[in-house]
Amino acid sequence: MTGIGTQADTTAQADLREMVRDIVNRHAPPERVRECDIANMFDLALYRALGEAGLIGLDAQVGSTHGADPRNQIVVLEELAAGPTSMAVCLVVQYMGVGLLSEYGTDNQRRDVLAPLLDGRERVAFALTEPDGGTDVARVMRTRARRVEGGRWILDGAKTWISGPKNATNLIVLARTSVSETSTIDGITMFVVPTDATGITIRELDTFAIHSLDTCEIIFDGVELDESSVLGQADRGFRQVLGTLNGERLNAAAAALGIARGALEAAVDYGRQRQVFGRPVGSFQAGQHRLVDGAIQIEAARALMLQAADATASGARADILSAMAKVAASDAAVAVTDAGMRLMGGSGFSKEYPMERLFRDARLYTFAPLTNEMLRNHIGEKYLGLPRSF
């Protein structure tokens, strides 16, 4: 089962996959993942090992305007999500940070923020969602940055449901800097903000899942920023972020696919070993069919994901394929973890097994980084040519 769905790997991708598996086996075996999940603890040793192996930077370089090859990112994310899922979620954010800093960062930002990110010495968090806005955050954004004398900025507002800011070194924050007469997505600027800046308060939220990565609310109260804090072009930050959403959806698909695959492997293992009525529980048709259906969903999602990754790497438009892959992979993760829980019965409820954690963690990707409902709206309009539904 460990080779499921990986036959399409190139030699380089197969080697990369084996590298990630080796690091996970050494630094994050099941008992360590369980320990971190129960303690709500980030696995810093695993993160540093990934950084030292070059798996955060991959082929991205400080002096380049391009991030890492998406076909390599999805390999790393799938392997992590099948085990230490929270670390995969962390790397989805880091890969987004790498892309934004590579494409829009100044020389100083690349030296001071991107370089330590690439080798795993530091982390970033991406702060977009607000208490009153998720999908429609541009329209309702209340976080503001205003210019003051000397070219400085003052940042005020609040962000919520932000992954990993508690121990990150820097935040990438989107704030409204002007009022646009033409579009709500204009007049928003990206800033690189140190988490230890005066006026920042970070409060961790108590969440249902992804326990090994903090999810937080962030308050900005008169935070002073230099002009050098602007990432990219002032008033164009939201449009710049839109260019990265294809990659974020693709990476979310890889993480969801990893959860689904990890759950399928755990369920099949249990189904082979657990005896009921004198035979393996996996031999009963009802449970077996659910797992087969899950395997089919996984392979269908993988095919979409690989098409999207190839298109993205070639520079072709891939937003529809990435949206389809994310929906298909997250639906597969929900279906397979449900099937696994049913097959395992009471054992699925036990923290001794990974199924209950995977069941919880899978739900993240039904609504992040964009809800599956909104992605279906996008596919309906842009792929099927139907009237806009929202």
Side-chain angles (χ1 to χ4, degrees):
M1 284 288 291
T2 55
I4 185 171
T6 62
Q7 297 89 344
D9 283 349
T10 65
T11 301
Q13 288 165 348
D15 290 344
L16 178 61
R17 195 178 296 275
E18 283 305 311
M19 180 192 298
V20 181
R21 287 181 180 175
D22 179 63
I23 291 172
V24 169
N25 288 337
R26 285 187 289 113
H27 294 274
E31 58 273 17
R32 173 62 176 173
V33 176
R34 183 167 60 249
E35 175 191 4
C36 290
D37 180 72
I38 292 171
N40 290 344
M41 179 174 63
F42 183 75
D43 195 339
L44 185 57
L46 173 59
Y47 183 77
R48 286 176 174 164
L50 294 169
E52 289 168 2
L55 296 175
I56 298 170
L58 291 170
D59 49 324
Q61 302 290 331
V62 172
S64 172
T65 58
H66 300 289
D69 189 323
R71 294 167 295 191
N72 292 331
Q73 290 182 345
I74 61 174
V75 169
V76 176
L77 292 170
E78 182 190 340
E79 289 304 316
L80 289 173
T85 308
S86 293
M87 190 59 70
V89 179
C90 174
L91 258 63
V92 169
V93 178
Q94 305 317 303
Y95 288 156
M96 188 174 188
V98 167
L100 289 169
L101 288 161
S102 295
E103 186 168 0
Y104 299 112
T106 63
D107 289 344
N108 286 345
Q109 287 168 339
R110 291 179 186 173
R111 181 195 64 215
D112 298 338
V113 183
L114 179 60
L117 174 60
L118 293 179
D119 62 19
R121 284 178 286 137
E122 295 180 359
R123 281 181 279 151
V124 298
F126 182 70
L128 173 60
T129 302
E130 301 204 350
D132 294 327
T135 303
D136 64 341
V137 66
R139 183 179 63 84
V140 300
M141 187 173 291
R142 295 185 179 180
T143 299
R144 298 282 193 272
R146 55 185 173 85
R147 285 185 186 272
V148 294
E149 283 187 33
R152 297 173 68 80
W153 297 82
I154 303 295
L155 178 66
D156 290 286
K159 301 290 184 179
T160 194
W161 307 118
I162 309 306
S163 297
K166 198 170 68 170
N167 295 300
T169 308
N170 290 284
L171 308 169
I172 297 176
V173 182
L174 277 86
R176 183 159 292 286
T177 46
S178 69
V179 177
S180 172
E181 301 294 332
T182 55
S183 173
T184 57
I185 66 173
D186 290 325
I188 294 173
T189 301
M190 278 193 295
F191 295 90
V192 178
V193 183
T195 53
D196 61 359
T198 302
I200 293 181
T201 302
I202 299 175
R203 181 178 71 88
E204 187 168 0
L205 303 172
D206 190 7
T207 59
F208 168 73
I210 314 297
H211 285 171
S212 299
L213 180 67
D214 54 290
T215 301
C216 300
E217 174 186 65
I218 309 173
I219 306 297
F220 304 99
D221 184 9
V223 179
E224 294 189 19
L225 302 173
D226 292 328
E227 180 65 32
S228 61
S229 297
V230 173
L231 177 58
Q233 186 179 346
D235 291 338
R236 300 280 295 175
F238 203 91
R239 290 190 181 276
Q240 292 163 345
V241 168
L242 287 177
T244 70
L245 292 184
N246 173 67
E248 189 183 19
R249 290 170 193 164
L250 177 59
N251 285 343
L257 190 71
I259 294 171
R261 199 198 80 205
L264 184 64
E265 291 174 353
V268 169
D269 253 1
Y270 185 89
R272 287 170 173 162
Q273 296 175 33
R274 169 68 169 166
Q275 297 285 317
V276 292
F277 297 103
R279 54 195 282 203
V281 70
S283 69
F284 290 91
Q285 193 177 81
Q288 191 173 112
H289 282 188
R290 290 191 191 103
L291 296 184
V292 169
D293 288 345
I296 293 169
Q297 285 184 274
I298 287 172
E299 293 311 317
R302 184 183 301 282
L304 284 166
M305 182 184 73
L306 293 176
Q307 286 185 67
D310 286 341
T312 302
S314 71
R317 182 171 177 177
D319 60 311
I320 297 297
L321 283 170
S322 293
M324 287 180 171
K326 190 267 187 183
V327 171
S330 57
D331 282 353
V334 169
V336 176
T337 54
D338 183 71
M341 290 289 278
R342 291 185 183 209
L343 184 83
M344 295 177 68
S347 294
F349 264 41
S350 170
K351 290 185 182 293
E352 181 182 350
Y353 296 92
M355 191 61 69
E356 62 85 26
R357 176 184 58 79
L358 293 168
F359 182 90
R360 289 184 281 111
D361 288 350
R363 272 62 191 168
L364 171 69
Y365 286 112
T366 64
F367 60 85
L370 196 65
T371 67
N372 283 0
E373 290 74 18
M374 284 301 294
L375 287 176
R376 285 182 167 93
N377 291 340
H378 179 69
I379 294 166
E381 179 184 357
K382 301 299 183 182
Y383 183 72
L384 298 181
L386 293 170
R388 186 169 182 171
S389 57
F390 64 98

